[in-house]
Amino acid sequence: MNLLYANDRRGEYPPSWYAATAVGAAERPPLRGTVRADVCVVGAGYTGLSAALHLAQRGLRVVVLEAHRAGWGASGRNGGQVGSGQRLDQDWIEARLGREDARHLWQIAEEAKALVRRLAADMPGTDWRPGVAHAFLHPSEVEAARRYADRLARDYGYEQIVPLDGSETAELLGTRAYVGGELDQGAAHVHPLNLALGLAVAAEAAGATILERTEVLALEPGQPATVRAQTGQVVADHVILGCNGYLGRLEPQVAARVMPINNFIVATEPLGADAPLSQPVAVADSRFVVNYWRQTPDGRLLFGGGESYGWRFPDIVATVRKPMLKVYPQLAEARIDHAWGGTLAISPTRNPCFLRPQPNVLSASGYSGHGVALATMAGQIMAEAIIGQTARFDVMARLPTPRFPGGTLLRHPVLVLAMTWFALRDRLGI
Ligand SMILES: Cc1cc2nc3c(=O)[nH]c(=O)nc-3n(C[C@H](O)[C@H](O)[C@H](O)COP(=O)(O)OP(=O)(O)OC[C@H]3O[C@@H](n4cnc5c(N)ncnc54)[C@H](O)[C@@H]3O)c2cc1C
């Protein structure tokens, strides 16, 4: 089974609210024959498109090969949250890598948000909006979040997090499901597909070539490397892999370290006065299988929740409606106008996996649900690495991403067991 086609039609965006409101989804031709390039990029999500943009801006000949359409993958389907920091907190990173690397990694994450903001400013329909609220289920989580926010202010100079008590949280979110929260004013949310489409247009304007409906079937290492598709091949001095959850077994060293999982979103009908949020912020709660939501400019609730670990998506409306109604029981009668899923990649530690599987092949993936900013940054960082500036690639690669136990054969059953256990803890409230 190939995840590129398991739940989707060839070359078609999923039936998302994002696809329904996309700006500039121009079609591009597939690869034909043999093409020579300085860099061949596989995958036209944030990772691949940002790499292409930054390489083309430096004058390199770049060809991007995309199995479906630009922004077709997780980049065109996600919750749009441009979160702060790395995926794991600074305490975890400092304990493993020491203070110097931890500071560098925080800086990279801050620059990642700034990069998305700067890029989005020139892109139609990206709708950058500041503010991501975190909602907590247990008093101990509120305490831990307060301590962490204080530490970020003291040791990292990050003073954007505003604590919210129980009633402020209820007032902001329009629900009493949470005991407290915080608002990260330095984080933001965007229209994710329009960000990807804008990146594609910017990369082409800088000189990159993007070819769609071109699935890469094999990567033959060498100097130069050959990237083979059904209808042609690209011979390139460097290769960048930006395939994330859809990588399959294209590169075994990466495949052993990241693992695809599915996540789902629904969009309600426009809710008018019943729209629950009192401010245009995005929200994520503290469940292991996280619920996240926000409102669209036309007053729909976009609610994400539920996860699956198999090839095929479940009944998405049923999967997401359940957690949505736990938070907002008043929406029991609200019509669901759009429901879609996407596949992302996680690593065993939940750190992103930056790897150089061959001397001239670079890969970044496994952002573990924290890729809107970091994948965009990863593209820039890999572009830097190709022209010899490797400091940022090297520090990202020091974040530990061991192989999944059992390799690609057993990673799936082991993960399903572990995830099911944590999801059960969510349901039991422990
Ligand atoms: C439902 C959902 C909600 C999410 N919410 C958030 C959020 O709110 N905030 C956040 O930070 N992150 C979120 N994420 C994660 C985020 O979307 C990803 O981390 C990010 O988009 C990864 O970008 P990417 O370019 O690496 O991968 P993708 O966008 O998945 O792009 C990979 C591309 O590679 C192509 N490809 C793969 N294999 C081949 C091949 N062999 N040949 C040619 N092309 C190939 C695919 O077709 C695809 O277009 C979410 C993900 C999902 C699915």
Side-chain angles (χ1 to χ4, degrees), residues 52-72:
L53 168 67
H54 289 98
L55 287 162
Q57 282 174 337
R58 289 170 164 94
L60 279 83
R61 286 175 303 164
V62 187
V63 175
V64 182
L65 301 180
E66 163 57 47
H68 292 274
R69 306 282 308 281
W72 171 91

PDB file of all heavy atoms in Angstrom, residues 52-72:
ATOM      1  N   ALA A  52      13.606  24.906  -2.262  1.00  0.00           N
ATOM      2  CA  ALA A  52      13.709  25.348  -3.660  1.00  0.00           C
ATOM      3  C   ALA A  52      13.815  26.871  -3.743  1.00  0.00           C
ATOM      4  O   ALA A  52      14.653  27.412  -4.481  1.00  0.00           O
ATOM      5  CB  ALA A  52      12.480  24.861  -4.432  1.00  0.00           C
ATOM      6  N   LEU A  53      12.972  27.563  -2.960  1.00  0.00           N
ATOM      7  CA  LEU A  53      13.010  29.030  -2.973  1.00  0.00           C
ATOM      8  C   LEU A  53      14.398  29.538  -2.583  1.00  0.00           C
ATOM      9  O   LEU A  53      14.994  30.373  -3.283  1.00  0.00           O
ATOM     10  CB  LEU A  53      11.954  29.567  -1.994  1.00  0.00           C
ATOM     11  CG  LEU A  53      12.030  31.057  -1.663  1.00  0.00           C
ATOM     12  CD1 LEU A  53      11.709  31.898  -2.898  1.00  0.00           C
ATOM     13  CD2 LEU A  53      11.059  31.428  -0.533  1.00  0.00           C
ATOM     14  N   HIS A  54      14.919  29.025  -1.468  1.00  0.00           N
ATOM     15  CA  HIS A  54      16.186  29.570  -0.965  1.00  0.00           C
ATOM     16  C   HIS A  54      17.374  29.185  -1.854  1.00  0.00           C
ATOM     17  O   HIS A  54      18.338  29.941  -1.961  1.00  0.00           O
ATOM     18  CB  HIS A  54      16.390  29.158   0.496  1.00  0.00           C
ATOM     19  CG  HIS A  54      15.450  29.874   1.426  1.00  0.00           C
ATOM     20  ND1 HIS A  54      14.278  29.320   1.887  1.00  0.00           N
ATOM     21  CD2 HIS A  54      15.485  31.144   1.930  1.00  0.00           C
ATOM     22  CE1 HIS A  54      13.646  30.199   2.642  1.00  0.00           C
ATOM     23  NE2 HIS A  54      14.349  31.316   2.689  1.00  0.00           N
ATOM     24  N   LEU A  55      17.298  28.018  -2.495  1.00  0.00           N
ATOM     25  CA  LEU A  55      18.376  27.629  -3.421  1.00  0.00           C
ATOM     26  C   LEU A  55      18.306  28.454  -4.699  1.00  0.00           C
ATOM     27  O   LEU A  55      19.332  28.919  -5.213  1.00  0.00           O
ATOM     28  CB  LEU A  55      18.254  26.140  -3.757  1.00  0.00           C
ATOM     29  CG  LEU A  55      18.657  25.195  -2.631  1.00  0.00           C
ATOM     30  CD1 LEU A  55      18.093  23.802  -2.885  1.00  0.00           C
ATOM     31  CD2 LEU A  55      20.179  25.140  -2.484  1.00  0.00           C
ATOM     32  N   ALA A  56      17.083  28.620  -5.225  1.00  0.00           N
ATOM     33  CA  ALA A  56      16.942  29.385  -6.470  1.00  0.00           C
ATOM     34  C   ALA A  56      17.370  30.836  -6.247  1.00  0.00           C
ATOM     35  O   ALA A  56      17.995  31.451  -7.119  1.00  0.00           O
ATOM     36  CB  ALA A  56      15.491  29.304  -6.962  1.00  0.00           C
ATOM     37  N   GLN A  57      17.061  31.359  -5.056  1.00  0.00           N
ATOM     38  CA  GLN A  57      17.478  32.741  -4.763  1.00  0.00           C
ATOM     39  C   GLN A  57      19.001  32.884  -4.788  1.00  0.00           C
ATOM     40  O   GLN A  57      19.526  33.965  -4.999  1.00  0.00           O
ATOM     41  CB  GLN A  57      16.949  33.180  -3.394  1.00  0.00           C
ATOM     42  CG  GLN A  57      15.477  33.559  -3.423  1.00  0.00           C
ATOM     43  CD  GLN A  57      14.923  33.862  -2.054  1.00  0.00           C
ATOM     44  OE1 GLN A  57      15.467  33.406  -1.030  1.00  0.00           O
ATOM     45  NE2 GLN A  57      13.832  34.611  -2.014  1.00  0.00           N
ATOM     46  N   ARG A  58      19.698  31.759  -4.532  1.00  0.00           N
ATOM     47  CA  ARG A  58      21.163  31.804  -4.574  1.00  0.00           C
ATOM     48  C   ARG A  58      21.708  31.458  -5.964  1.00  0.00           C
ATOM     49  O   ARG A  58      22.897  31.207  -6.131  1.00  0.00           O
ATOM     50  CB  ARG A  58      21.735  30.857  -3.529  1.00  0.00           C
ATOM     51  CG  ARG A  58      21.537  31.362  -2.119  1.00  0.00           C
ATOM     52  CD  ARG A  58      21.890  30.273  -1.109  1.00  0.00           C
ATOM     53  NE  ARG A  58      22.060  30.836   0.226  1.00  0.00           N
ATOM     54  CZ  ARG A  58      21.096  30.903   1.140  1.00  0.00           C
ATOM     55  NH1 ARG A  58      19.888  30.474   0.855  1.00  0.00           N
ATOM     56  NH2 ARG A  58      21.336  31.409   2.334  1.00  0.00           N
ATOM     57  N   GLY A  59      20.798  31.301  -6.915  1.00  0.00           N
ATOM     58  CA  GLY A  59      21.232  31.110  -8.302  1.00  0.00           C
ATOM     59  C   GLY A  59      21.425  29.658  -8.717  1.00  0.00           C
ATOM     60  O   GLY A  59      21.938  29.388  -9.807  1.00  0.00           O
ATOM     61  N   LEU A  60      21.026  28.690  -7.889  1.00  0.00           N
ATOM     62  CA  LEU A  60      21.183  27.286  -8.288  1.00  0.00           C
ATOM     63  C   LEU A  60      20.022  26.839  -9.171  1.00  0.00           C
ATOM     64  O   LEU A  60      18.910  27.336  -9.040  1.00  0.00           O
ATOM     65  CB  LEU A  60      21.291  26.385  -7.041  1.00  0.00           C
ATOM     66  CG  LEU A  60      22.699  26.360  -6.420  1.00  0.00           C
ATOM     67  CD1 LEU A  60      22.900  27.556  -5.506  1.00  0.00           C
ATOM     68  CD2 LEU A  60      22.922  25.075  -5.642  1.00  0.00           C
ATOM     69  N   ARG A  61      20.308  25.862 -10.050  1.00  0.00           N
ATOM     70  CA  ARG A  61      19.251  25.285 -10.895  1.00  0.00           C
ATOM     71  C   ARG A  61      18.530  24.225 -10.081  1.00  0.00           C
ATOM     72  O   ARG A  61      19.130  23.203  -9.703  1.00  0.00           O
ATOM     73  CB  ARG A  61      19.859  24.609 -12.129  1.00  0.00           C
ATOM     74  CG  ARG A  61      20.376  25.564 -13.194  1.00  0.00           C
ATOM     75  CD  ARG A  61      21.064  24.774 -14.295  1.00  0.00           C
ATOM     76  NE  ARG A  61      22.141  23.951 -13.739  1.00  0.00           N
ATOM     77  CZ  ARG A  61      22.732  22.930 -14.358  1.00  0.00           C
ATOM     78  NH1 ARG A  61      22.343  22.562 -15.559  1.00  0.00           N
ATOM     79  NH2 ARG A  61      23.719  22.253 -13.792  1.00  0.00           N
ATOM     80  N   VAL A  62      17.257  24.454  -9.793  1.00  0.00           N
ATOM     81  CA  VAL A  62      16.508  23.571  -8.895  1.00  0.00           C
ATOM     82  C   VAL A  62      15.306  22.989  -9.624  1.00  0.00           C
ATOM     83  O   VAL A  62      14.554  23.723 -10.275  1.00  0.00           O
ATOM     84  CB  VAL A  62      15.972  24.350  -7.664  1.00  0.00           C
ATOM     85  CG1 VAL A  62      15.357  23.393  -6.653  1.00  0.00           C
ATOM     86  CG2 VAL A  62      17.071  25.162  -7.019  1.00  0.00           C
ATOM     87  N   VAL A  63      15.120  21.674  -9.493  1.00  0.00           N
ATOM     88  CA  VAL A  63      13.915  21.027 -10.018  1.00  0.00           C
ATOM     89  C   VAL A  63      13.212  20.329  -8.868  1.00  0.00           C
ATOM     90  O   VAL A  63      13.832  19.535  -8.138  1.00  0.00           O
ATOM     91  CB  VAL A  63      14.266  19.997 -11.112  1.00  0.00           C
ATOM     92  CG1 VAL A  63      13.011  19.239 -11.548  1.00  0.00           C
ATOM     93  CG2 VAL A  63      14.901  20.694 -12.302  1.00  0.00           C
ATOM     94  N   VAL A  64      11.928  20.646  -8.653  1.00  0.00           N
ATOM     95  CA  VAL A  64      11.126  20.015  -7.597  1.00  0.00           C
ATOM     96  C   VAL A  64      10.209  18.983  -8.252  1.00  0.00           C
ATOM     97  O   VAL A  64       9.501  19.306  -9.216  1.00  0.00           O
ATOM     98  CB  VAL A  64      10.243  21.062  -6.864  1.00  0.00           C
ATOM     99  CG1 VAL A  64       9.443  20.399  -5.743  1.00  0.00           C
ATOM    100  CG2 VAL A  64      11.094  22.205  -6.319  1.00  0.00           C
ATOM    101  N   LEU A  65      10.217  17.755  -7.740  1.00  0.00           N
ATOM    102  CA  LEU A  65       9.315  16.714  -8.244  1.00  0.00           C
ATOM    103  C   LEU A  65       8.266  16.413  -7.182  1.00  0.00           C
ATOM    104  O   LEU A  65       8.606  16.075  -6.041  1.00  0.00           O
ATOM    105  CB  LEU A  65      10.111  15.436  -8.568  1.00  0.00           C
ATOM    106  CG  LEU A  65      11.229  15.596  -9.596  1.00  0.00           C
ATOM    107  CD1 LEU A  65      11.930  14.257  -9.833  1.00  0.00           C
ATOM    108  CD2 LEU A  65      10.697  16.166 -10.918  1.00  0.00           C
ATOM    109  N   GLU A  66       7.010  16.522  -7.552  1.00  0.00           N
ATOM    110  CA  GLU A  66       5.907  16.334  -6.608  1.00  0.00           C
ATOM    111  C   GLU A  66       4.942  15.287  -7.178  1.00  0.00           C
ATOM    112  O   GLU A  66       4.485  15.419  -8.320  1.00  0.00           O
ATOM    113  CB  GLU A  66       5.203  17.685  -6.375  1.00  0.00           C
ATOM    114  CG  GLU A  66       3.828  17.603  -5.756  1.00  0.00           C
ATOM    115  CD  GLU A  66       3.778  16.865  -4.412  1.00  0.00           C
ATOM    116  OE1 GLU A  66       4.611  17.146  -3.544  1.00  0.00           O
ATOM    117  OE2 GLU A  66       2.898  15.985  -4.255  1.00  0.00           O
ATOM    118  N   ALA A  67       4.619  14.292  -6.360  1.00  0.00           N
ATOM    119  CA  ALA A  67       3.759  13.196  -6.830  1.00  0.00           C
ATOM    120  C   ALA A  67       2.358  13.689  -7.202  1.00  0.00           C
ATOM    121  O   ALA A  67       1.756  13.181  -8.147  1.00  0.00           O
ATOM    122  CB  ALA A  67       3.659  12.120  -5.751  1.00  0.00           C
ATOM    123  N   HIS A  68       1.837  14.659  -6.468  1.00  0.00           N
ATOM    124  CA  HIS A  68       0.485  15.155  -6.741  1.00  0.00           C
ATOM    125  C   HIS A  68       0.544  16.621  -7.192  1.00  0.00           C
ATOM    126  O   HIS A  68       0.838  16.891  -8.341  1.00  0.00           O
ATOM    127  CB  HIS A  68      -0.391  15.009  -5.491  1.00  0.00           C
ATOM    128  CG  HIS A  68      -0.683  13.584  -5.131  1.00  0.00           C
ATOM    129  ND1 HIS A  68      -1.716  12.877  -5.665  1.00  0.00           N
ATOM    130  CD2 HIS A  68      -0.063  12.732  -4.266  1.00  0.00           C
ATOM    131  CE1 HIS A  68      -1.743  11.657  -5.163  1.00  0.00           C
ATOM    132  NE2 HIS A  68      -0.751  11.539  -4.312  1.00  0.00           N
ATOM    133  N   ARG A  69       0.277  17.529  -6.256  1.00  0.00           N
ATOM    134  CA  ARG A  69       0.248  18.956  -6.558  1.00  0.00           C
ATOM    135  C   ARG A  69       1.016  19.693  -5.464  1.00  0.00           C
ATOM    136  O   ARG A  69       1.147  19.186  -4.341  1.00  0.00           O
ATOM    137  CB  ARG A  69      -1.204  19.467  -6.558  1.00  0.00           C
ATOM    138  CG  ARG A  69      -2.158  18.697  -7.478  1.00  0.00           C
ATOM    139  CD  ARG A  69      -1.977  19.093  -8.929  1.00  0.00           C
ATOM    140  NE  ARG A  69      -2.059  20.531  -9.110  1.00  0.00           N
ATOM    141  CZ  ARG A  69      -3.217  21.225  -9.155  1.00  0.00           C
ATOM    142  NH1 ARG A  69      -4.379  20.611  -9.048  1.00  0.00           N
ATOM    143  NH2 ARG A  69      -3.209  22.532  -9.322  1.00  0.00           N
ATOM    144  N   ALA A  70       1.476  20.895  -5.759  1.00  0.00           N
ATOM    145  CA  ALA A  70       2.162  21.691  -4.735  1.00  0.00           C
ATOM    146  C   ALA A  70       1.232  21.872  -3.538  1.00  0.00           C
ATOM    147  O   ALA A  70       0.060  22.218  -3.709  1.00  0.00           O
ATOM    148  CB  ALA A  70       2.562  23.042  -5.304  1.00  0.00           C
ATOM    149  N   GLY A  71       1.734  21.608  -2.330  1.00  0.00           N
ATOM    150  CA  GLY A  71       0.934  21.768  -1.114  1.00  0.00           C
ATOM    151  C   GLY A  71      -0.121  20.695  -0.925  1.00  0.00           C
ATOM    152  O   GLY A  71      -0.985  20.821  -0.058  1.00  0.00           O
ATOM    153  N   TRP A  72      -0.007  19.607  -1.664  1.00  0.00           N
ATOM    154  CA  TRP A  72      -1.015  18.535  -1.572  1.00  0.00           C
ATOM    155  C   TRP A  72      -0.930  17.785  -0.228  1.00  0.00           C
ATOM    156  O   TRP A  72      -1.944  17.313   0.281  1.00  0.00           O
ATOM    157  CB  TRP A  72      -0.803  17.563  -2.739  1.00  0.00           C
ATOM    158  CG  TRP A  72      -1.606  16.321  -2.651  1.00  0.00           C
ATOM    159  CD1 TRP A  72      -2.853  16.119  -3.181  1.00  0.00           C
ATOM    160  CD2 TRP A  72      -1.244  15.098  -1.996  1.00  0.00           C
ATOM    161  NE1 TRP A  72      -3.271  14.840  -2.886  1.00  0.00           N
ATOM    162  CE2 TRP A  72      -2.312  14.197  -2.162  1.00  0.00           C
ATOM    163  CE3 TRP A  72      -0.110  14.681  -1.286  1.00  0.00           C
ATOM    164  CZ2 TRP A  72      -2.291  12.897  -1.645  1.00  0.00           C
ATOM    165  CZ3 TRP A  72      -0.083  13.394  -0.770  1.00  0.00           C
ATOM    166  CH2 TRP A  72      -1.167  12.511  -0.948  1.00  0.00           C
TER     167      TRP A  72
END
